[in-house]
Amino acid sequence: MACPNVSWGCLLLLLLCFAWMGDAEYAKYKDPKQPVNTRIKDLIGRMTLAEKIGQMTQIERSVASADVMKNYFIGSILSGGGSVPAPQATPAMWINMVNEFQKGALATRLGIPMIYGIDAVHGNNNVYNATIFPHNVGLGATRDPDLVKRIGEATALEVRATGIPYTFAPCIAVCRDPRWGRCYESYSEDHKIVQQMTDIILGLQGEIPVNHTKGVPYVAKNKVAACAKHFVGDGGTHNGINENNTIIDEHGLLGIHMPPYYDSIIKGVATVMVSYSSVNGEKMHANHDLVTGYLKSKLHFRGFVISDWLGIDRITSPAGANYTYSVQAGVNAGIDMVMVPFNYTEFIEDATSLVNKRIISMSRIDDAVSRILRVKFTMGLFENPLADLSFADQLGKKEHRELAREAVRKSLVLLKNGNTPNQQFLPLPKKASKILVAGSHASNLGYQCGGWSIQWMGGSGDITAGTTILDAIKSTVGDATPVVYSENPDDSFMKKNEFSFAIVVVGEPPYAETVGDNTDLTILDPGPDTIRTVCSALKCAVVVVSGRPVVIEPYLPLMEALVAAWLPGTEGQGIADVLFGDYGFTGKLSRTWFKSVDQLPMNFGDPHYDPLFPLGFGLAINSSQPGFSGTRSRGDKKEITVWAALSLLLSMMIAWA
């Protein structure tokens, strides 16, 4: 009789075990049918402190490995500027690298996927053969939100082509001083224009659904998470010094620098990056009132807040002087993910110690991790963590290059065209006896792309695939029209040759961030000499390739035409399209063009506003009056028109004198 009793007991025990195992296999966070908040709550409840702090840690790919991901529960990896798996790496090489890291993350106890980020700030610009679009300063001149939305769509596809689901873009700084080295990353000095350009988020992440809850991230399938940066006031630092102090009252901060964040949040932006700079002496990376109090609480942003590169280190001066304090101040201010990017063990150890000592609360950690998980769940990373070659053919796609060419055309601003309205110089004839092309930027793809192109600082020469301005001119003119290129011709060269006209292409060298801070804003040598030599000898059109307005007034009387081309990217053909009349000039200045750097800072509406060319200025072919975009109210437009007319009249008086 004992044997049956044991058998029934064993059977009952087995049934209980199977029931427990079945329950263990089901986890709500793994079920895509469950609401996102339910999945977050379930997963948070299963996580250890080590797993939570790991999610808050972002490391650079150069120190990452599958084992590091698994052992430290790392939540994110990034490629810094120019950090690539190999020179001229193919999409397959990128995807294999990203997937190798991802497999390490998936091998952890809970299998939480990591998110890989990259600075795709004007196309997937770190990647060889990608389409590089004009920098934001040029896109602002287009006044075309639909265009930037389409650029966002193309960029998302080219980022996905490399297996990456997250870009640190767009920069929505309102640059108030062109001496700032990041001014080309800003769409305009006018927050209204910047607000319009936030439509790029809809291209990167997808159209936000009707009745979507404000502040909640939205990323459609096969799109990429975007990042509005740098919160807040980075474009208003004193004297345009990068990472410096923005001295401003509350009305100015909320009225000038904050509005683009309102729009970005309404459009479902997934992440926000904190600025290196300070507001009235307080480092933004430690600014609880603005990061938690305003961004999270008042604007109801529910994505995650990420630091900048070594951003918390720079809370102290010198940077890293008291790293434990920096971790405490940054996390308690409201930063959810820390771009470490190298010494991740120190960050993890310090954060863990601060939580154990109750200096950082567990509720603050849970808030950070909840926000990170919300973005990952929203993106579908848990269901589709691994990339494949499905989008590989999107990199540098012909249609994307045509879009970039369109963007170049629409970004060009015609500042001068002849010395009188009845003696216009542009468009140029395609048939001529001989054309001279001169200048340091005419045959240099790296120069026309600017910073954040293949390398962090950009480069010179054939850094990637694209069309130089010189090659574009050659392909546009008639077959029987010879085009001669001389980078910096001297007087004897000019006397020996008989040219119909010249196109001089000069500008700034590539730069990024603090390296670009510049109090002189002069054209790269020997650019001024090239203008003087060539334009004194024959009629010329000058094309300026730069990330901001530069000193040009002294040379203006010498030239017949002046075109601001900004930093056009890889598709130089767009410049020739407009110079030779296949398309008209439609771009309007998104920045005030100063007469002298002594006037800076100077923005539209300032009492001392006396520009060479005002905000909104832009000539059209066969028109004596500047054209203006319709992005302002009628009253503003009339006011700008008055300034434009006065400026044009003053310029003509100077020329006649």
Side-chain angles (χ1 to χ4, degrees), residues 31-86:
D31 185 355
K33 295 179 182 179
Q34 293 287 340
V36 168
N37 285 340
T38 300
R39 299 178 77 182
I40 292 170
K41 184 177 179 181
D42 179 65
L43 183 48
I44 286 279
R46 298 170 185 269
M47 296 174 71
T48 65
L49 178 59
E51 288 166 333
K52 290 175 181 179
I53 291 176
Q55 282 300 300
M56 296 172 64
T57 308
Q58 185 181 66
I59 65 175
E60 216 284 326
R61 56 159 292 279
S62 61
V63 297
S65 69
D67 285 342
V68 168
M69 302 303 291
K70 180 180 178 181
N71 295 335
Y72 292 92
F73 314 106
I74 300 297
S76 184
I77 300 177
L78 83 151
S79 274
S83 180
V84 299

Short mmCIF file of all heavy atoms in Angstrom, two decimals, residues 31-86:
data_model
loop_
_atom_site.label_atom_id
_atom_site.label_comp_id
_atom_site.label_asym_id
_atom_site.label_seq_id
_atom_site.Cartn_x
_atom_site.Cartn_y
_atom_site.Cartn_z
N ASP A 31 6.52 39.75 -23.39
CA ASP A 31 5.29 39.61 -24.16
C ASP A 31 4.94 40.93 -24.84
O ASP A 31 4.52 41.89 -24.20
CB ASP A 31 4.14 39.20 -23.22
CG ASP A 31 2.84 38.92 -23.96
OD1 ASP A 31 2.79 39.14 -25.18
OD2 ASP A 31 1.88 38.48 -23.28
N PRO A 32 5.09 41.01 -26.17
CA PRO A 32 4.82 42.27 -26.88
C PRO A 32 3.35 42.67 -26.85
O PRO A 32 3.01 43.81 -27.18
CB PRO A 32 5.28 41.98 -28.31
CG PRO A 32 5.24 40.49 -28.44
CD PRO A 32 5.56 39.95 -27.08
N LYS A 33 2.46 41.76 -26.44
CA LYS A 33 1.04 42.07 -26.36
C LYS A 33 0.70 42.85 -25.08
O LYS A 33 -0.36 43.45 -24.98
CB LYS A 33 0.21 40.79 -26.42
CG LYS A 33 0.32 40.06 -27.76
CD LYS A 33 -0.51 38.79 -27.76
CE LYS A 33 -0.36 38.04 -29.09
NZ LYS A 33 -1.15 36.78 -29.09
N GLN A 34 1.60 42.82 -24.13
CA GLN A 34 1.39 43.54 -22.88
C GLN A 34 1.66 45.04 -23.09
O GLN A 34 2.51 45.42 -23.89
CB GLN A 34 2.31 43.01 -21.78
CG GLN A 34 2.02 41.60 -21.34
CD GLN A 34 0.75 41.51 -20.51
OE1 GLN A 34 0.28 42.50 -19.94
NE2 GLN A 34 0.19 40.31 -20.44
N PRO A 35 0.96 45.92 -22.37
CA PRO A 35 1.25 47.35 -22.45
C PRO A 35 2.71 47.63 -22.04
O PRO A 35 3.27 46.92 -21.20
CB PRO A 35 0.27 47.97 -21.45
CG PRO A 35 -0.81 46.95 -21.29
CD PRO A 35 -0.16 45.62 -21.45
N VAL A 36 3.27 48.68 -22.63
CA VAL A 36 4.67 49.00 -22.35
C VAL A 36 4.91 49.23 -20.87
O VAL A 36 5.89 48.73 -20.30
CB VAL A 36 5.12 50.23 -23.17
CG1 VAL A 36 6.47 50.77 -22.68
CG2 VAL A 36 5.21 49.89 -24.65
N ASN A 37 4.03 49.94 -20.21
CA ASN A 37 4.22 50.21 -18.78
C ASN A 37 4.19 48.92 -17.95
O ASN A 37 4.91 48.80 -16.96
CB ASN A 37 3.16 51.18 -18.27
CG ASN A 37 3.43 52.61 -18.73
OD1 ASN A 37 4.55 52.95 -19.10
ND2 ASN A 37 2.41 53.44 -18.71
N THR A 38 3.37 47.97 -18.38
CA THR A 38 3.32 46.68 -17.69
C THR A 38 4.64 45.94 -17.87
O THR A 38 5.18 45.34 -16.91
CB THR A 38 2.16 45.82 -18.23
OG1 THR A 38 0.93 46.51 -18.01
CG2 THR A 38 2.11 44.45 -17.55
N ARG A 39 5.17 45.99 -19.06
CA ARG A 39 6.45 45.31 -19.35
C ARG A 39 7.58 45.95 -18.55
O ARG A 39 8.45 45.27 -18.02
CB ARG A 39 6.75 45.37 -20.85
CG ARG A 39 5.70 44.68 -21.72
CD ARG A 39 6.01 44.80 -23.19
NE ARG A 39 7.06 43.88 -23.60
CZ ARG A 39 7.56 43.80 -24.85
NH1 ARG A 39 7.11 44.63 -25.79
NH2 ARG A 39 8.50 42.93 -25.14
N ILE A 40 7.56 47.28 -18.48
CA ILE A 40 8.60 47.99 -17.72
C ILE A 40 8.54 47.59 -16.24
O ILE A 40 9.57 47.24 -15.64
CB ILE A 40 8.42 49.52 -17.85
CG1 ILE A 40 8.72 49.98 -19.29
CG2 ILE A 40 9.35 50.25 -16.88
CD1 ILE A 40 8.33 51.43 -19.55
N LYS A 41 7.35 47.64 -15.67
CA LYS A 41 7.19 47.33 -14.25
C LYS A 41 7.63 45.90 -13.96
O LYS A 41 8.33 45.63 -12.96
CB LYS A 41 5.73 47.52 -13.84
CG LYS A 41 5.48 47.31 -12.35
CD LYS A 41 4.02 47.60 -12.00
CE LYS A 41 3.78 47.37 -10.51
NZ LYS A 41 2.36 47.62 -10.15
N ASP A 42 7.28 44.97 -14.84
CA ASP A 42 7.64 43.58 -14.64
C ASP A 42 9.16 43.39 -14.69
O ASP A 42 9.75 42.72 -13.83
CB ASP A 42 6.98 42.71 -15.72
CG ASP A 42 7.33 41.24 -15.58
OD1 ASP A 42 6.95 40.63 -14.57
OD2 ASP A 42 8.02 40.70 -16.48
N LEU A 43 9.80 44.04 -15.66
CA LEU A 43 11.24 43.86 -15.82
C LEU A 43 12.02 44.55 -14.69
O LEU A 43 12.97 43.97 -14.14
CB LEU A 43 11.69 44.40 -17.18
CG LEU A 43 13.17 44.23 -17.55
CD1 LEU A 43 13.67 42.82 -17.29
CD2 LEU A 43 13.41 44.63 -19.00
N ILE A 44 11.60 45.76 -14.33
CA ILE A 44 12.25 46.47 -13.23
C ILE A 44 12.22 45.62 -11.95
O ILE A 44 13.19 45.54 -11.19
CB ILE A 44 11.57 47.83 -12.97
CG1 ILE A 44 11.93 48.82 -14.07
CG2 ILE A 44 11.95 48.39 -11.61
CD1 ILE A 44 13.26 49.49 -13.94
N GLY A 45 11.09 44.95 -11.73
CA GLY A 45 10.94 44.14 -10.53
C GLY A 45 11.85 42.93 -10.49
O GLY A 45 12.09 42.35 -9.41
N ARG A 46 12.38 42.54 -11.62
CA ARG A 46 13.26 41.37 -11.70
C ARG A 46 14.74 41.74 -11.65
O ARG A 46 15.59 40.86 -11.52
CB ARG A 46 13.00 40.61 -13.02
CG ARG A 46 11.59 40.07 -13.17
CD ARG A 46 11.35 39.57 -14.59
NE ARG A 46 9.97 39.15 -14.80
CZ ARG A 46 9.51 37.91 -14.62
NH1 ARG A 46 10.34 36.96 -14.23
NH2 ARG A 46 8.24 37.63 -14.83
N MET A 47 15.05 43.03 -11.79
CA MET A 47 16.44 43.45 -11.97
C MET A 47 17.18 43.68 -10.66
O MET A 47 16.61 44.21 -9.70
CB MET A 47 16.49 44.73 -12.83
CG MET A 47 15.99 44.54 -14.25
SD MET A 47 15.88 46.10 -15.19
CE MET A 47 17.63 46.45 -15.42
N THR A 48 18.44 43.32 -10.65
CA THR A 48 19.33 43.64 -9.53
C THR A 48 19.87 45.05 -9.71
O THR A 48 19.76 45.65 -10.79
CB THR A 48 20.50 42.66 -9.47
OG1 THR A 48 21.31 42.84 -10.65
CG2 THR A 48 20.03 41.22 -9.39
N LEU A 49 20.49 45.58 -8.67
CA LEU A 49 21.10 46.91 -8.77
C LEU A 49 22.18 46.92 -9.86
O LEU A 49 22.27 47.88 -10.63
CB LEU A 49 21.70 47.32 -7.43
CG LEU A 49 22.42 48.68 -7.41
CD1 LEU A 49 21.49 49.81 -7.82
CD2 LEU A 49 23.03 48.94 -6.03
N ALA A 50 22.97 45.87 -9.96
CA ALA A 50 24.02 45.80 -10.98
C ALA A 50 23.42 45.86 -12.38
O ALA A 50 23.96 46.52 -13.28
CB ALA A 50 24.84 44.52 -10.80
N GLU A 51 22.32 45.17 -12.58
CA GLU A 51 21.67 45.17 -13.89
C GLU A 51 21.08 46.55 -14.22
O GLU A 51 21.11 46.99 -15.37
CB GLU A 51 20.59 44.09 -13.94
CG GLU A 51 21.18 42.68 -13.99
CD GLU A 51 20.18 41.58 -13.69
OE1 GLU A 51 19.19 41.84 -12.96
OE2 GLU A 51 20.38 40.46 -14.18
N LYS A 52 20.58 47.22 -13.21
CA LYS A 52 20.01 48.55 -13.42
C LYS A 52 21.09 49.57 -13.78
O LYS A 52 20.94 50.35 -14.74
CB LYS A 52 19.25 49.00 -12.18
CG LYS A 52 17.96 48.21 -11.93
CD LYS A 52 17.30 48.61 -10.61
CE LYS A 52 16.03 47.81 -10.37
NZ LYS A 52 15.37 48.17 -9.08
N ILE A 53 22.16 49.57 -13.03
CA ILE A 53 23.24 50.54 -13.30
C ILE A 53 23.91 50.21 -14.64
O ILE A 53 24.32 51.11 -15.37
CB ILE A 53 24.24 50.57 -12.14
CG1 ILE A 53 23.56 51.20 -10.91
CG2 ILE A 53 25.51 51.35 -12.50
CD1 ILE A 53 24.39 51.21 -9.66
N GLY A 54 23.98 48.95 -14.98
CA GLY A 54 24.49 48.57 -16.30
C GLY A 54 23.67 49.19 -17.42
O GLY A 54 24.22 49.66 -18.42
N GLN A 55 22.34 49.20 -17.26
CA GLN A 55 21.47 49.81 -18.26
C GLN A 55 21.74 51.30 -18.42
O GLN A 55 21.58 51.86 -19.50
CB GLN A 55 20.01 49.59 -17.90
CG GLN A 55 19.48 48.21 -18.21
CD GLN A 55 19.58 47.87 -19.68
OE1 GLN A 55 19.01 48.53 -20.54
NE2 GLN A 55 20.33 46.82 -19.98
N MET A 56 22.18 51.94 -17.36
CA MET A 56 22.44 53.38 -17.38
C MET A 56 23.80 53.73 -17.97
O MET A 56 24.14 54.91 -18.09
CB MET A 56 22.34 53.94 -15.96
CG MET A 56 20.97 53.81 -15.33
SD MET A 56 20.97 54.26 -13.56
CE MET A 56 21.40 55.99 -13.64
N THR A 57 24.55 52.73 -18.36
CA THR A 57 25.94 52.91 -18.79
C THR A 57 26.06 52.80 -20.30
O THR A 57 25.67 51.79 -20.89
CB THR A 57 26.84 51.86 -18.12
OG1 THR A 57 26.62 51.87 -16.71
CG2 THR A 57 28.31 52.12 -18.42
N GLN A 58 26.62 53.84 -20.92
CA GLN A 58 26.91 53.79 -22.36
C GLN A 58 28.42 53.87 -22.55
O GLN A 58 29.08 54.76 -22.02
CB GLN A 58 26.24 54.95 -23.11
CG GLN A 58 26.41 54.85 -24.62
CD GLN A 58 25.77 56.02 -25.35
OE1 GLN A 58 26.20 57.16 -25.22
NE2 GLN A 58 24.72 55.74 -26.12
N ILE A 59 28.97 52.93 -23.33
CA ILE A 59 30.42 52.86 -23.54
C ILE A 59 30.75 52.97 -25.01
O ILE A 59 29.92 52.72 -25.88
CB ILE A 59 31.00 51.55 -22.94
CG1 ILE A 59 30.46 50.32 -23.68
CG2 ILE A 59 30.69 51.47 -21.46
CD1 ILE A 59 31.10 49.00 -23.23
N GLU A 60 31.99 53.34 -25.28
CA GLU A 60 32.47 53.47 -26.66
C GLU A 60 32.81 52.09 -27.22
O GLU A 60 33.27 51.21 -26.51
CB GLU A 60 33.70 54.37 -26.69
CG GLU A 60 33.80 55.27 -27.93
CD GLU A 60 34.24 54.56 -29.19
OE1 GLU A 60 35.05 53.63 -29.08
OE2 GLU A 60 33.79 54.95 -30.28
N ARG A 61 32.58 51.92 -28.51
CA ARG A 61 32.77 50.62 -29.16
C ARG A 61 34.19 50.10 -29.01
O ARG A 61 34.42 48.89 -28.97
CB ARG A 61 32.40 50.67 -30.63
CG ARG A 61 33.14 51.74 -31.45
CD ARG A 61 33.16 51.44 -32.94
NE ARG A 61 33.96 50.28 -33.22
CZ ARG A 61 35.30 50.28 -33.31
NH1 ARG A 61 35.98 51.40 -33.11
NH2 ARG A 61 35.96 49.18 -33.57
N SER A 62 35.17 50.99 -28.88
CA SER A 62 36.56 50.58 -28.81
C SER A 62 36.88 49.83 -27.52
O SER A 62 37.87 49.10 -27.45
CB SER A 62 37.49 51.79 -28.94
OG SER A 62 37.25 52.72 -27.90
N VAL A 63 36.04 49.98 -26.48
CA VAL A 63 36.28 49.26 -25.23
C VAL A 63 35.21 48.19 -25.00
O VAL A 63 35.18 47.54 -23.95
CB VAL A 63 36.32 50.21 -24.01
CG1 VAL A 63 37.48 51.17 -24.13
CG2 VAL A 63 35.00 50.97 -23.83
N ALA A 64 34.34 48.01 -25.98
CA ALA A 64 33.25 47.05 -25.84
C ALA A 64 33.64 45.68 -26.39
O ALA A 64 34.52 45.56 -27.24
CB ALA A 64 32.01 47.56 -26.57
N SER A 65 32.98 44.66 -25.87
CA SER A 65 33.10 43.29 -26.38
C SER A 65 31.86 42.55 -25.91
O SER A 65 31.13 43.01 -25.03
CB SER A 65 34.36 42.60 -25.85
OG SER A 65 34.24 42.36 -24.46
N ALA A 66 31.63 41.38 -26.46
CA ALA A 66 30.49 40.57 -26.03
C ALA A 66 30.60 40.24 -24.54
O ALA A 66 29.61 40.26 -23.80
CB ALA A 66 30.40 39.30 -26.87
N ASP A 67 31.80 39.95 -24.08
CA ASP A 67 32.00 39.61 -22.67
C ASP A 67 31.74 40.81 -21.76
O ASP A 67 31.15 40.67 -20.69
CB ASP A 67 33.42 39.08 -22.44
CG ASP A 67 33.60 37.66 -22.93
OD1 ASP A 67 32.57 36.97 -23.13
OD2 ASP A 67 34.76 37.24 -23.14
N VAL A 68 32.20 41.99 -22.17
CA VAL A 68 31.94 43.20 -21.39
C VAL A 68 30.44 43.45 -21.28
O VAL A 68 29.93 43.75 -20.20
CB VAL A 68 32.65 44.43 -22.02
CG1 VAL A 68 32.17 45.73 -21.38
CG2 VAL A 68 34.16 44.30 -21.85
N MET A 69 29.74 43.29 -22.39
CA MET A 69 28.30 43.49 -22.38
C MET A 69 27.62 42.53 -21.41
O MET A 69 26.73 42.93 -20.64
CB MET A 69 27.72 43.28 -23.79
CG MET A 69 28.31 44.18 -24.86
SD MET A 69 28.16 45.93 -24.48
CE MET A 69 26.40 46.14 -24.64
N LYS A 70 28.05 41.28 -21.43
CA LYS A 70 27.44 40.25 -20.60
C LYS A 70 27.79 40.43 -19.12
O LYS A 70 26.93 40.35 -18.25
CB LYS A 70 27.88 38.87 -21.08
CG LYS A 70 27.30 37.72 -20.28
CD LYS A 70 27.78 36.38 -20.80
CE LYS A 70 27.24 35.22 -19.96
NZ LYS A 70 27.72 33.91 -20.44
N ASN A 71 29.05 40.71 -18.86
CA ASN A 71 29.51 40.75 -17.47
C ASN A 71 29.08 42.00 -16.71
O ASN A 71 28.94 41.98 -15.49
CB ASN A 71 31.03 40.62 -17.43
CG ASN A 71 31.50 39.26 -17.94
OD1 ASN A 71 30.76 38.28 -17.89
ND2 ASN A 71 32.73 39.21 -18.44
N TYR A 72 28.89 43.11 -17.45
CA TYR A 72 28.54 44.37 -16.79
C TYR A 72 27.12 44.84 -17.12
O TYR A 72 26.72 45.93 -16.72
CB TYR A 72 29.55 45.46 -17.15
CG TYR A 72 30.93 45.19 -16.58
CD1 TYR A 72 31.89 44.50 -17.31
CD2 TYR A 72 31.26 45.63 -15.30
CE1 TYR A 72 33.16 44.24 -16.79
CE2 TYR A 72 32.52 45.38 -14.77
CZ TYR A 72 33.46 44.68 -15.52
OH TYR A 72 34.71 44.44 -14.99
N PHE A 73 26.37 44.04 -17.88
CA PHE A 73 24.97 44.35 -18.20
C PHE A 73 24.83 45.70 -18.91
O PHE A 73 23.85 46.43 -18.69
CB PHE A 73 24.10 44.33 -16.93
CG PHE A 73 24.34 43.15 -16.04
CD1 PHE A 73 25.04 43.29 -14.84
CD2 PHE A 73 23.89 41.88 -16.39
CE1 PHE A 73 25.28 42.19 -14.01
CE2 PHE A 73 24.12 40.79 -15.57
CZ PHE A 73 24.81 40.94 -14.38
N ILE A 74 25.80 46.02 -19.77
CA ILE A 74 25.86 47.34 -20.40
C ILE A 74 24.61 47.59 -21.25
O ILE A 74 24.21 46.76 -22.05
CB ILE A 74 27.13 47.47 -21.27
CG1 ILE A 74 28.39 47.28 -20.43
CG2 ILE A 74 27.14 48.82 -22.00
CD1 ILE A 74 28.61 48.31 -19.35
N GLY A 75 24.03 48.78 -21.08
CA GLY A 75 22.78 49.09 -21.76
C GLY A 75 22.93 49.72 -23.12
O GLY A 75 22.00 49.68 -23.93
N SER A 76 24.11 50.30 -23.41
CA SER A 76 24.25 51.02 -24.68
C SER A 76 25.71 51.14 -25.08
O SER A 76 26.61 51.19 -24.23
CB SER A 76 23.64 52.42 -24.56
OG SER A 76 23.67 53.12 -25.79
N ILE A 77 25.93 51.21 -26.39
CA ILE A 77 27.25 51.44 -26.98
C ILE A 77 27.11 52.58 -27.97
O ILE A 77 26.04 52.79 -28.56
CB ILE A 77 27.78 50.19 -27.71
CG1 ILE A 77 27.89 49.00 -26.75
CG2 ILE A 77 29.13 50.43 -28.36
CD1 ILE A 77 28.34 47.71 -27.43
N LEU A 78 28.18 53.33 -28.17
CA LEU A 78 28.19 54.35 -29.21
C LEU A 78 29.47 54.29 -30.02
O LEU A 78 30.49 53.75 -29.56
CB LEU A 78 28.06 55.75 -28.62
CG LEU A 78 29.34 56.43 -28.09
CD1 LEU A 78 29.22 57.95 -28.21
CD2 LEU A 78 29.64 56.03 -26.67
N SER A 79 29.39 54.85 -31.22
CA SER A 79 30.57 55.17 -32.00
C SER A 79 30.84 56.66 -31.82
O SER A 79 29.98 57.49 -32.16
CB SER A 79 30.36 54.89 -33.49
OG SER A 79 30.64 53.56 -33.82
N GLY A 80 32.00 57.00 -31.25
CA GLY A 80 32.40 58.40 -31.24
C GLY A 80 32.70 58.85 -32.66
O GLY A 80 32.73 58.05 -33.59
N GLY A 81 32.93 60.17 -32.85
CA GLY A 81 33.22 60.68 -34.18
C GLY A 81 34.41 59.98 -34.81
O GLY A 81 35.50 59.98 -34.26
N GLY A 82 34.20 59.32 -35.95
CA GLY A 82 35.27 58.63 -36.65
C GLY A 82 35.58 57.25 -36.12
O GLY A 82 36.51 56.60 -36.61
N SER A 83 34.83 56.77 -35.14
CA SER A 83 35.08 55.44 -34.57
C SER A 83 34.32 54.40 -35.38
O SER A 83 33.09 54.32 -35.31
CB SER A 83 34.65 55.41 -33.10
OG SER A 83 34.89 54.14 -32.54
N VAL A 84 35.06 53.61 -36.14
CA VAL A 84 34.46 52.67 -37.10
C VAL A 84 35.09 51.29 -36.94
O VAL A 84 36.20 51.16 -36.42
CB VAL A 84 34.65 53.18 -38.54
CG1 VAL A 84 33.97 54.52 -38.73
CG2 VAL A 84 36.14 53.30 -38.90
N PRO A 85 34.40 50.24 -37.39
CA PRO A 85 34.98 48.89 -37.28
C PRO A 85 36.23 48.70 -38.13
O PRO A 85 37.09 47.88 -37.81
CB PRO A 85 33.84 47.97 -37.73
CG PRO A 85 32.89 48.83 -38.46
CD PRO A 85 33.01 50.21 -37.88
N ALA A 86 36.32 49.44 -39.24
CA ALA A 86 37.49 49.38 -40.13
C ALA A 86 37.40 50.55 -41.09
O ALA A 86 36.31 51.05 -41.36
CB ALA A 86 37.52 48.06 -40.90
#
